[in-house]
Amino acid sequence: MRLSSVLSLVNQVEKSKFINAIDRICGDAVRHDKKIEAQLNKLDGQIKNASSTDITQLFKIILPYFEKAVREQLAMLGAQATLLTNILSRDGNSIARATWVESLYSKEWDVINRRAKELQAEIEEVSDDESFGNSKRLGIYFACFSEAHSNDQRINREAKITDDERGILNVLAKQLDVTADDQAGIEHLVDKIPKNGVQDALNELREIGLVFISRKRQTVYVPDEIVSLLHRIQGKELADKHLLRILRTFSDAELSNILKNHRKKIRGVERKEKVSNIMKLGVPVTQILQRDLFNDEVTINERKDRLKGLIQDLELDLDKLGATLEERTEIILNSLNNCAESEFNVLSATGFKELFSALQNHFPMLSKVLKHEFELEEQEELDVEKLRALSITPYDILYMLTNEEVKSVVDSMGIKKRGNLRLNILNSFADATDKLIDNYGALARRDLASLKNSNIDIAESEIGVKFEEVTKAIFEQLGLAVDEDLRRAVNTSKDKADVLISLSEDDVIVGEAKTCKNGDFAKYSTTSRQVKAYANRCESAGKRVAQVLIVAPTFSDDFVESAEMDTEVNISLLEAEGLKRILDAYKSRRNPKFSAKLFTKGGLLKSDLIAKNI
């Protein structure tokens, strides 16, 4: 979930520590940074009274200073904070109940403690005449880590690993090929990680602005921007889900090459276990793509060609491939690190829900797989909104399935088997959304007979929800910013807006989609109460409601007149068939020009005129 959405979700007290952290950093940096000075001047220096939008913009400007401060403070907090941030920055853990974070911590602690005991036995067995084997390498790293930790005590300071020392130890670990789990185990031997006190450690992370804790929901939130920051501090080039995506494309021989290069067992190891073992290594993705993937005799040109093939396998839409091995590696990493928004846009909100529902039917183990891979609570109810909040895209879901499982799903669903199977599945649901858009008018009128004649099988009880979802899909295809994160943040169990369209950081359009079976839509008093409640929720979250847009099959004369005379909120009305005509005109133009401001004129909108001027 983006920072702006988290800020809209939590109350003033719950975001106070984050604002205090920003305030401290601004106080130190403003003297020599003109951009920060200019932004503070806009706020009259009153950060604590700033809107969520202003805080988000300020955070973007001070991010380098914030990251530097966090590095220093995490080093001071010690091994427990490091372990906790490692857990919270993993896929699926950015929104979690505090009790679940404690259970994940306990589980991780047990794994590290067990590995630490194994490492201690291995290090102690090393003899003076032993060749440079695994025990010798681990012993060297252990000795260096112990020295880095204890050297402060000689000058009467608390023993700790500074950020600079950790950087040197990371280089040493890379040169000695000490894997991530072994690094954690050795650190536990030298500086034992406390098993208890997780709540206190969470509060310490909250103090330095890394997490938000909702007391009401007893939930910990880590914004996407903070997750990316923690990955940089950890030296993590890609999220685990993206590394998994890369590994899924490799052949068995290539997976074996990676494991062989780190002296790991490959004989008799199944493909699924090979992938899992590589994930545990913690090896930089750059090293995998440039070295570990290949035998020593493979030339640079052959390695470049293999990365070109990887780009095609991953279906990355790139403007350039890069001329060197390093450039191609960087392009792959950047593309995957910035792919979330485009991957969510591949399917409409309707398409995503349809995909998730169909996958659950054709692969009943899906929820169990996702909960295991993303470390979600067993009793948690999984739905598309929860997945979107965790930044889990349709691509991410499909790559959680093994290649064999994807083949089985394709067979079960009767989808074509040529080409990229995961992409074939996605495209089939994009087509289903297009079919509903083509019959948008019938959907608005709740015309079941027309829908069935078009081979659309839908229950009457589902029509309202489908109409809302297809309306979102149309807005998305018009290039509008349908803000699901904000909608989720402002909605309550009582007040649930259908659509929120972001015009800017501050301005939104509140959209409401209404079906009507017989005649014109005429329920103005009820509808106006609803949209005014939604507008109030948005304004409480620091947004300005530029317009309310109501979409229905047709409107009664009284409804139109009441909307035009309403002085409390600006309301625009748009007939469903008219919205479809606007979309058709948009798609027919080579370079369409369309702005959401065309929906802010008020009263009954003239769709023909809007379509003509696109």
Side-chain angles (χ1 to χ4, degrees), residues 53 481 483 486 500-510 538 542-547 597:
T53 300
D483 198 332
L486 177 61
L500 289 179
I501 299 170
S502 288
L503 300 179
S504 65
E505 288 281 354
D506 297 305
D507 296 340
V508 297
I509 291 176
V510 174
C538 288
K543 303 295 181 181
R544 189 178 76 86
V545 178
Q547 196 76 17
K597 291 182 179 179

Side-chain angles (χ1 to χ4, degrees), residues 57-77:
Q57 291 174 340
L58 183 58
F59 179 75
K60 290 177 183 176
I61 297 171
I62 68 158
L63 184 55
Y65 303 98
F66 187 86
E67 184 171 332
K68 181 176 182 292
V70 165
R71 285 179 182 274
E72 295 168 353
Q73 290 164 323
L74 280 178
M76 297 289 289
L77 291 177

